Amino acid sequence: MDIKLDPSRDDLPLMANTSHILVKHYVLDLDVDFESQIIEGTLVLFFESGNRYRKKSSSTEETCQSESDEACKFRMPEPCHVPVTNTRTFSSKMGYNDFAIYGKGEKDTSGKDGNHDNQEQASGISSSKYCCDTGNHGSEDFLLVLDCCDLSVLKVEEVDVAAVPGIEKFTRSPKLTVVSELRNQIVHELVTLPADRWREQLDYYAHCSQAPGCGELLFDTDTWSLQIRKTGAQTATDFPHAIRIRYRTKPQGRSVTWTSDQSGRPCVYTMGSPINNRALFPCQEPPVAMSTWQATVRASASFVVLMSGENSAKPTQLREGCSSWHYYVTMPMPASTFTIAVGPWTEVKPETCSPSDQAAKRSFSPSEADFRCASICGHVEYPCRFQNASAATQEIIPHRVFAPGCLRGACQEMLLQLVSPCLSAAHSVLGTHPFSRLDVLIVPANFPSLGMASPHIVFLSQSTLTGGSHLCGTRLCHEIAHAWFGLAIGARDWTEEWLSEGFATHLEDVFWAKAQQLAPHEAREQQELRACLRWRRLQDELRNSPEPLQVLRNDICLNVGYP
């Protein structure tokens, strides 16, 4: 099923069959080796299949929507050679109505057969013709397809979650005699725990990820995907709901940038574009496939590990010269938002702490959520800050600034002074910050953009430090705006990314005017001038862009990550 693509003409294929089965949680356990420029370790994935694909039973809710058992079986369709332009799939809640919009969504467009109007685009595959995957030899076993590129997959195995001490409380039906069904029921109960049990859920995810394997799974890789099969598992419901993948990245992997910082010391960072995270770990890349994750990363003790996690991780010394860092998230997010940066970063701290800095030091964790807040969100269940009365009044979330040692002075003089007023300005316009904390990192000189926002962390180019407070401030405001538009609320597919960019571009002017404490007429004049400059730049770009690139949902839509 390998696809030959022309990078100058074709879009990256979204191969993961998210219409069949969804990753609900990733557990990564990784080692970073700068000598070999390889990240190596294990990845444990916890799945949930859609209820429309469950086997027939006496329960109406678990009855397959098809009239025949044969219709409940899934075979691997041929991959589509046309770029993906509409990734609609089902919800990550058991209702599976509208998974694409993180907030309140549209009505389900599925028909009687349970398929969406664009199911084939949702998984990046064509449903017009069924065939066996390479080496399947006519078998009708369910095939799990994950987006994967530039990775060496060494082993894939099922995880025996039933062997975890105390896990039996997740067994709703003790009468199950088929061991595989018992394991899958345990995972189902685990992934559907209510939001107020998030800490217990993370702990059990960690314990399950360390459980022994209970049988290797067949797998194959091609340029863009990892395909996994278990003999005899003919539906997504039968397929193991917890699997472990041992793998390593490749030095030339396009999701991982091995380089040196401005002080000449080695570092590595990842960013969601242009190839998303498929060369960092096997995953489901379509932006509608949202999941939570936790990661343990080991590196030399001289390095700092920053990630897009909810917690401000502290290093744990494992042995002399080696430290371990642990991060997690409880808000379901697309895999493309997973970000990591490992390097000899220096934390830039203020010489004296202002009252606002002192107030920002206290972070509100999900365990402190106060659900007495009147607002009701329409997204999947998780410990949401928008329902946290304490978080609603937190104008300035805890934040840190990191940079190479040689840029510490410039960051202290410029960037550090801007973070608090920009965060406060954002809160005055949009209210509760979607994320509990923020790290800002000045990335190496080869970073290809002025900035990139990920949950809990923002990458900024060193160029923002040389353009005065206006350039640094507006760019910081732009990336902060993406916390609401692009992250908390995201596109259904990459062709709709212009929406989040449009909101962030507009709000950077609004935030920056408030951060500067401009008078209303001054703010209006500044915004009008910037709007005029953008309009002229857009006209120039249209004159110099091929016509197909000027149309939404065209044949060469760019599949990039969130800036």
Side-chain angles (χ1 to χ4, degrees):
M1 60 183 286
D2 203 355
I3 300 177
K4 302 300 182 182
L5 295 178
D6 179 358
S8 66
R9 178 179 58 84
D10 295 321
D11 186 19
L12 293 176
L14 299 181
M15 304 298 294
N17 50 346
T18 55
S19 294
H20 302 159
I21 191 169
L22 286 171
V23 178
K24 300 303 293 290
H25 190 77
Y26 297 93
V27 179
L28 297 101
D29 188 31
L30 304 174
D31 291 280
V32 180
D33 187 345
F34 279 92
E35 290 188 7
S36 61
Q37 295 189 342
I38 285 175
I39 298 176
E40 181 177 7
T42 61
L43 168 70
V44 177
L45 303 90
F46 296 86
F47 298 98
E48 180 71 342
S49 56
N51 61 355
R52 73 181 62 166
Y53 304 127
R54 295 184 185 277
K55 290 181 177 179
K56 287 187 175 182
S57 69
S58 57
S59 169
T60 303
E61 292 181 354
E62 293 187 356
T63 299
C64 184
Q65 295 186 14
S66 171
E67 295 182 356
S68 66
D69 288 328
E70 189 65 27
C72 297
K73 298 179 181 179
F74 290 94
R75 305 168 181 84
M76 183 57 209
E78 278 190 334
C80 181
H81 293 255
V82 179
V84 178
T85 58
N86 190 353
T87 53
R88 290 189 177 182
T89 183
F90 41 77
S91 167
S92 65
K93 278 183 114 177
M94 287 309 295
Y96 296 87
N97 290 323
D98 190 24
F99 184 67
I101 302 301
Y102 308 173
K104 295 182 179 180
E106 304 165 356
K107 293 182 179 180
D108 187 5
T109 56
S110 58
K112 293 182 180 180
D113 61 353
N115 292 327
H116 283 275
D117 53 350
N118 262 317
Q119 180 181 343
E120 58 271 19
Q121 287 93 339
S123 58
I125 51 182
S126 169
S127 61
S128 61
K129 181 180 179 182
Y130 294 99
C131 69
C132 301
D133 62 292
T134 303
N136 205 17
H137 305 298
S139 171
E140 294 183 354
D141 294 336
F142 171 77
L143 192 68
L144 171 68
V145 183
L146 298 174
D147 294 298
C148 175
C149 179
D150 299 330
L151 294 178
S152 296
V153 178
L154 309 176
K155 181 180 180 181
V156 181
E157 63 180 351
E158 182 177 359
V159 178
D160 186 9
V161 295
V164 175
I167 201 71
E168 59 272 4
K169 67 180 179 180
F170 293 115
T171 306
R172 178 176 297 181
S173 176
K175 297 180 181 180
L176 287 175
T177 57
V178 180
V179 178
S180 60
E181 292 183 1
L182 175 65
R183 297 188 189 110
N184 284 357
Q185 184 188 91
I186 290 173
V187 174
H188 168 72
E189 295 297 322
L190 179 57
V191 302
T192 55
L193 281 178
D196 59 359
R197 296 175 65 181
W198 68 272
R199 173 59 70 183
E200 178 187 8
Q201 186 182 48
L202 285 180
D203 288 343
Y204 271 105
Y205 277 139
H207 292 318
C208 288
S209 70
Q210 298 168 7
C214 54
E216 293 192 28
L217 302 177
L218 303 172
F219 71 91
D220 191 14
T221 59
D222 58 28
T223 304
W224 301 108
S225 70
L226 167 64
Q227 306 138 41
I228 304 171
R229 180 190 333 112
K230 179 181 180 179
T231 303
Q234 296 186 335
T235 71
T237 303
D238 299 328
F239 190 80
H241 283 25
I243 67 172
R244 181 185 294 112
I245 302 173
R246 175 166 292 281
Y247 75 99
R248 63 169 63 104
T249 64
K250 297 181 179 179
Q252 69 274 19
R254 284 159 279 184
S255 298
V256 187
T257 302
W258 299 90
T259 185
S260 298
D261 67 7
Q262 290 85 340
S263 297
R265 302 179 66 183
C267 60
V268 61
Y269 66 89
T270 67
M271 52 189 297
S273 60
I275 197 174
N276 298 329
N277 276 322
R278 67 186 70 185
L280 177 61
F281 60 95
C283 57
Q284 293 181 335
E285 287 280 31
V288 294
M290 296 188 295
S291 58
T292 52
W293 60 264
Q294 59 196 107
T296 299
V297 178
R298 289 171 294 276
S300 171
S302 61
F303 292 96
V304 174
V305 177
L306 301 178
M307 296 181 73
S308 50
E310 291 177 16
N311 58 315
S312 297
K314 302 297 181 183
T316 300
Q317 184 172 351
L318 299 178
R319 56 185 182 275
E320 186 176 357
C322 181
S323 295
S324 174
W325 303 69
H326 180 76
Y327 288 89
Y328 64 84
V329 297
T330 60
M331 177 181 179
M333 298 292 294
S336 60
T337 64
F338 182 96
T339 303
I340 180 172
V342 184
W345 321 121
T346 299
E347 183 177 358
V348 182
K349 298 181 179 180
E351 295 180 355
T352 57
C353 293
S354 65
S356 61
D357 292 326
Q358 293 285 357
K361 285 185 178 180
R362 184 171 187 272
S363 174
F364 296 94
S365 70
S367 60
E368 300 176 77
D370 184 351
F371 292 99
R372 293 175 298 176
C373 190
S375 62
I376 299 177
C377 299
H379 52 63
V380 299
E381 186 182 17
Y382 69 91
C384 177
R385 283 176 56 83
F386 290 103
Q387 299 177 40
N388 185 338
S390 299
T393 61
Q394 194 178 25
E395 294 185 17
I396 304 172
I397 56 176
H399 54 273
R400 304 179 298 180
V401 174
F402 291 87
C406 63
L407 296 177
R408 179 176 181 176
C411 288
Q412 196 165 45
E413 179 181 348
M414 174 86 62
L415 177 59
L416 197 61
Q417 312 302 321
L418 295 174
V419 181
S420 289
C422 290
L423 287 171
S424 180
H427 181 274
S428 68
V429 176
L430 297 180
T432 307
H433 290 278
F435 304 108
S436 58
R437 69 176 194 93
L438 178 67
D439 284 341
V440 181
L441 172 65
I442 299 297
V443 285
N446 65 343
F447 185 68
S449 173
L450 282 177
M452 185 189 77
S454 297
H456 311 98
I457 187 170
V458 163
F459 287 174
L460 286 183
S461 166
Q462 64 178 16
S463 302
T464 60
L465 301 176
T466 61
S469 61
H470 182 78
L471 175 60
C472 188
T474 54
R475 194 66 207 184
L476 181 60
C477 286
H478 181 100
E479 304 307 337
I480 289 174
H482 273 309
W484 285 267
F485 299 99
L487 295 174
I489 301 173
R492 186 182 292 274
D493 63 69
W494 298 125
T495 66
E496 295 177 347
E497 190 189 3
W498 65 275
L499 288 167
S500 59
E501 284 301 324
F503 279 114
T505 300
H506 167 70
L507 287 169
E508 75 178 62
D509 293 344
V510 177
F511 292 174
W512 182 234
K514 287 187 173 292
Q516 292 176 288
Q517 299 182 339
L518 297 180
H521 72 279
E522 293 177 313
R524 184 172 59 256
E525 289 175 356
Q526 186 180 94
Q527 291 177 29
E528 289 176 351
L529 174 60
R530 289 173 61 82
C532 180
L533 293 174
R534 290 190 184 107
W535 173 246
R536 292 186 177 182
R537 186 173 63 186
L538 177 61
Q539 289 179 313
D540 290 339
E541 289 178 353
L542 288 175
R543 280 194 291 265
N544 294 282
S545 299
E547 187 172 345
L549 290 180
Q550 302 177 28
V551 181
L552 291 176
R553 302 188 185 281
N554 55 72
D555 290 338
I556 46 177
C557 296
L558 299 179
N559 177 27
V560 297
Y562 295 108

